[in-house]
């Protein structure tokens, strides 16, 4: 494959203009749709060490479907090591790495991990990802607890439904590589989408690019040093019967700089039935989502293959 199809990384380094297949329709181009000027809307920043952190998470999940977490308990050296091995992987010669401009593999639970899909290089890749995963799992459980309580449910309700605790939730690590683009005003690094999972926890390399949609316009997610970006995904929106919002987002690209991001996707177990929690559709409150006993495995298959749900 590597000898037949060039990666975007290799292609970008050899071009002065964007190939036609990467040019977005005019109404989708970043410049035409991104909010410009002093915005009264700011993506929430939640200090997880403060007593009101739970309330702030609930407000952010309700209004935006995204927040930036600071004082989150994930050590800076764990993040730095994760980023080091990611950068070194994409710096390898093309023949020494998987053909792609992103990399992903399951990192939890242990029974679902297949290290045969993990890179052999660079040194310390496995150790860095496993150490980071352990910290992200603890953060994930705390966020799920706070969001469950915000719905008037027991703190463990969401985690229990999705996977039965820390040994049932599925965590998938992805590394995205967005090389410099000769005409960034015509392209997107990632088209608009919501995440099909329950929750996404993301760290980037500080290069701007992530945007979220609000009221038909796109807003930049400003870089906050040391923060982790937490996205609400489809499964939490559905579980909450629409009280929380699965955030519509996209990625732009830079003319001069390489952007990298490390999202961890938190997924329910495969057999999880996609539906609102029963206590959130009781009485006169109707279910806003009815997937007719669809499992998460089937939901994911339909989304990936662009089939109707």
């Amino acid at each position: 494959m590597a000898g037949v199809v060039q990666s975007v990384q290799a292609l970008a380094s050899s071009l002065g203009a964007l190939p036609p297949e990467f040019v977005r329709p005019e109404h989708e181009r970043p410049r035409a749709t991104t909010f410009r000027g002093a915005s009264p809307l700011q993506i929430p920043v939640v200090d997880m060490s403060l007593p009101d952190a739970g309330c702030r998470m609930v407000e952010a999940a309700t209004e935006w479907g995204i927040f930036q977490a600071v004082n989150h308990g994930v050590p800076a050296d764990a993040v730095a090591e994760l980023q080091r091995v990611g950068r070194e992987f994409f710096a390898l010669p093309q023949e020494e790495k998987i053909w792609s401009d992103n990399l992903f593999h399951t990192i939890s639970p242990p029974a679902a991990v297949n290290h045969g899909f993990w890179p052999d290089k660079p040194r310390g890749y496995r150790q860095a990802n496993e150490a980071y995963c352990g910290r992200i799992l603890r953060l994930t459980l705390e966020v799920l607890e706070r969001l469950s309580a915000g719905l008037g449910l027991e703190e463990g309700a969401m985690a229990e439904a999705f996977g039965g605790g820390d040994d049932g939730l599925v965590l998938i690590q992805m590394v995205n590589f967005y090389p410099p683009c000769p005409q960034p005003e015509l392209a997107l690094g990632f088209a608009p989408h919501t995440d099909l999972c329950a929750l996404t926890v993301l760290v980037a390399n500080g290069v701007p690019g992530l945007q979220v949609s609000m009221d038909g316009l796109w807003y930049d997610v400003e870089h906050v040093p040391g923060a982790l970006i937490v996205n609400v995904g489809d499964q939490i929106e559905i579980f909450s019967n629409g009280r929380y919002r699965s955030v519509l987002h996209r990625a732009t690209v830079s003319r001069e700089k390489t952007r990298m991001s490390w999202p961890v996707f938190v997924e329910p177990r495969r057999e999880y039935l996609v539906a609102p929690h029963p206590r959130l559709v009781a009485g006169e409150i109707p279910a806003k989502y009815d997937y007719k006993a669809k499992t998460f495995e089937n939901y994911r298959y339909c989304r990936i293959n662009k089939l109707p749900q």
Side-chain angles (χ1 to χ4, degrees), residues 39-111:
S39 171
L41 298 177
Q42 299 291 331
I43 284 73
V45 177
V46 177
D47 187 335
M48 295 185 66
S49 68
L50 297 180
D52 68 347
C55 293
R56 298 268 291 141
M57 288 183 206
V58 169
E59 291 171 358
T62 301
E63 182 178 0
W64 284 92
I66 186 174
F67 62 89
Q68 300 206 59
V70 297
N71 293 322
H72 41 64
V74 180
D77 58 354
V79 175
E81 184 65 2
L82 177 82
Q83 293 178 317
R84 177 191 71 81
V85 296
R87 288 193 305 270
E88 291 186 8
F89 172 79
F90 282 103
L92 292 170
Q94 192 65 38
E95 62 272 12
E96 292 187 35
K97 62 187 177 186
I98 304 168
W99 175 81
S100 185
D101 291 287
N102 56 56
L103 172 67
F104 62 93
H105 46 71
T106 302
I107 53 177
S108 184

Side-chain angles (χ1 to χ4, degrees), residues 55-176:
C55 293
R56 298 268 291 141
M57 288 183 206
V58 169
E59 291 171 358
T62 301
E63 182 178 0
W64 284 92
I66 186 174
F67 62 89
Q68 300 206 59
V70 297
N71 293 322
H72 41 64
V74 180
D77 58 354
V79 175
E81 184 65 2
L82 177 82
Q83 293 178 317
R84 177 191 71 81
V85 296
R87 288 193 305 270
E88 291 186 8
F89 172 79
F90 282 103
L92 292 170
Q94 192 65 38
E95 62 272 12
E96 292 187 35
K97 62 187 177 186
I98 304 168
W99 175 81
S100 185
D101 291 287
N102 56 56
L103 172 67
F104 62 93
H105 46 71
T106 302
I107 53 177
S108 184
V113 174
N114 182 347
H115 290 113
F117 290 106
W118 293 40
D120 296 325
K121 297 179 180 179
R123 173 186 55 81
Y125 183 90
R126 175 174 171 179
Q127 293 85 346
N129 279 266
E130 289 177 342
Y132 182 74
C133 165
R135 298 287 187 168
I136 293 300
L137 183 55
R138 286 191 283 275
L139 171 66
T140 293
L141 292 172
E142 181 177 354
V143 173
L144 294 181
E145 287 176 358
R146 302 296 182 91
L147 295 183
S148 291
L151 296 170
L153 304 173
E154 295 79 11
E155 286 189 342
M158 201 175 283
E160 185 66 30
F162 291 153
D166 59 2
D167 61 345
L169 292 171
V170 178
L171 271 62
I172 299 174
Q173 174 74 69
M174 188 173 187
V175 189
N176 292 315

Side-chain angles (χ1 to χ4, degrees), residues 17 31 45 75 100 123 154-155 180 187 194 229 245-246 251 267 273:
R31 185 169 294 175
V45 177
S100 185
R123 173 186 55 81
E154 295 79 11
E155 286 189 342
T194 60
I229 299 169
R245 177 185 177 202
S246 182
E267 296 187 348
L273 292 179

Side-chain angles (χ1 to χ4, degrees), residues 42-43 45 68 208 210 219-225 227 229:
Q42 299 291 331
I43 284 73
V45 177
Q68 300 206 59
L210 180 62
Y219 293 85
D220 294 318
V221 179
E222 302 293 341
H223 175 62
V224 175
I229 299 169

Side-chain angles (χ1 to χ4, degrees), residues 243-256:
R243 288 172 62 176
Y244 297 144
R245 177 185 177 202
S246 182
V247 62
L248 182 66
H249 56 289
R250 69 183 185 183
T252 61
V253 288
S254 168
R255 188 184 304 275
E256 297 88 13

Side-chain angles (χ1 to χ4, degrees), residues 153 238-243 275-289:
L153 304 173
I238 296 166
F239 178 95
S240 72
N241 201 29
R243 288 172 62 176
H277 189 280
R279 283 172 50 187
L280 302 179
V281 295
E284 298 179 357
I285 303 174
K288 295 181 179 180
Y289 311 87

